[in-house]
Every structure is written in C-alpha cells, then in structure tokens.
Amino acid sequence: MDVQQDKFAWIMKAGWHGLCPRCGKGHMFRGWLRIAERCEVCGLDYRFAAPDDGPAFFSMSIAAFPLTFVILWIQVAFNPPLWVHFVTSLPLMAIGCALPLRPIKGWLVASQYVNKAQESGTGALWAKLDGGFERQDGTGTDG
C-alpha cells in the first residue's frame, strides 16, 4: 500500500473518530468541540492544533450551501408560509451544519499532526511536542 494512502487512512480513522493522531487510542476532544490539552494515553500535547475556522468553512460548504438551494427551491416551487421554514428549514440547517463540525475538526487536527503542518518558525516547538513517536500500527510519523 502507498505511503500517502496509509497517511490518508490514518488521518480519516483518527480524525473522524476523535482519536489521538499519534497513538490512535486516546481522545482528541474533551467536549463537543474543545480539544483536550493532551492525550491521556500517550501524552501528545495538542498545542500544535490550530484548525481555526476550517471546520466552520467546510461544514458550510458541505451542508449549508446545498441546503440553502433546497430551501430556496421549496420556497419557489411551493411558496409555503414563513412558519413552515421556521419549523423545517431552520432546524435542518442548524443540524446539518452542527453535526459535521466535530469530525471535520478532528480530521483537520489529525491532518496537521500527520503532515507536520506548522507555522513558519515553529520547527523547534514541533520537535519538542512530537519527538518522532512511533505509532502503534508501526507506520511511524515520518511517513
């Protein structure tokens, strides 16, 4: 199997399930969207994680934009009263945008870890946080 495919599979497994991207056993989150300070199993320090507005952007791109077109189509095709949108469209939009936030945030944090994404000039901090830890699946973090 290709190294890139292994990385992608690891990112998907760890990120989408909210598992530690280093060991795959600890939890990445300590709340719905709050990232833990460190992994309770391997001790990975999550200070490197900076998903910023990425989860919201992807959630809007994946859910909100298509749902907006569906809601507009319903309005144009059937012209329902406003209360119908409050009862159906608003909850659909809120749920459709909120549910994917956690898996997307986990995916972004795992991607940052596996690909060693860092801001310019933070190489020393990254080396201190990571230390070349070998994952349990034997693939390591060096790719």
Side-chain angles (χ1 to χ4, degrees):
M1 196 181 238
D2 185 5
V3 172
Q4 286 301 98
Q5 289 176 337
D6 286 344
K7 276 186 172 183
F8 181 74
W10 182 255
I11 289 168
M12 293 305 289
K13 178 185 178 206
W16 286 86
H17 295 292
L19 302 173
C20 172
R22 181 195 279 176
C23 69
K25 294 181 179 167
H27 296 94
M28 185 184 303
F29 296 98
R30 69 175 182 179
W32 171 247
L33 288 175
R34 184 166 295 211
I35 296 176
E37 290 181 24
R38 60 183 66 249
C39 174
E40 71 270 11
V41 175
C42 70
L44 175 66
D45 190 322
Y46 287 113
R47 285 184 290 179
F48 71 88
D52 300 326
D53 293 332
F57 171 78
F58 285 115
S59 181
M60 285 189 310
S61 297
I62 293 167
F65 294 141
L67 286 174
T68 300
F69 291 114
V70 169
I71 292 166
L72 286 173
W73 174 77
I74 290 171
Q75 179 61 37
V76 170
F78 303 107
N79 196 19
L82 187 59
W83 67 266
V84 171
H85 287 297
F86 283 121
V87 172
T88 59
S89 303
L90 229 60
L92 184 65
M93 188 72 77
I95 291 169
C97 289
L99 283 181
L101 282 176
R102 183 179 169 129
I104 291 171
K105 188 170 190 173
W107 168 68
L108 288 171
V109 170
S111 294
Q112 287 176 334
Y113 178 78
V114 170
N115 295 309
K116 296 183 167 113
Q118 60 191 11
E119 291 184 35
S120 178
T122 61
L125 177 63
W126 178 258
K128 183 176 157 187
L129 293 174
D130 180 34
F133 183 81
E134 187 77 16
R135 287 197 310 242
Q136 295 297 328
D137 64 1
T139 59
T141 56
D142 297 330

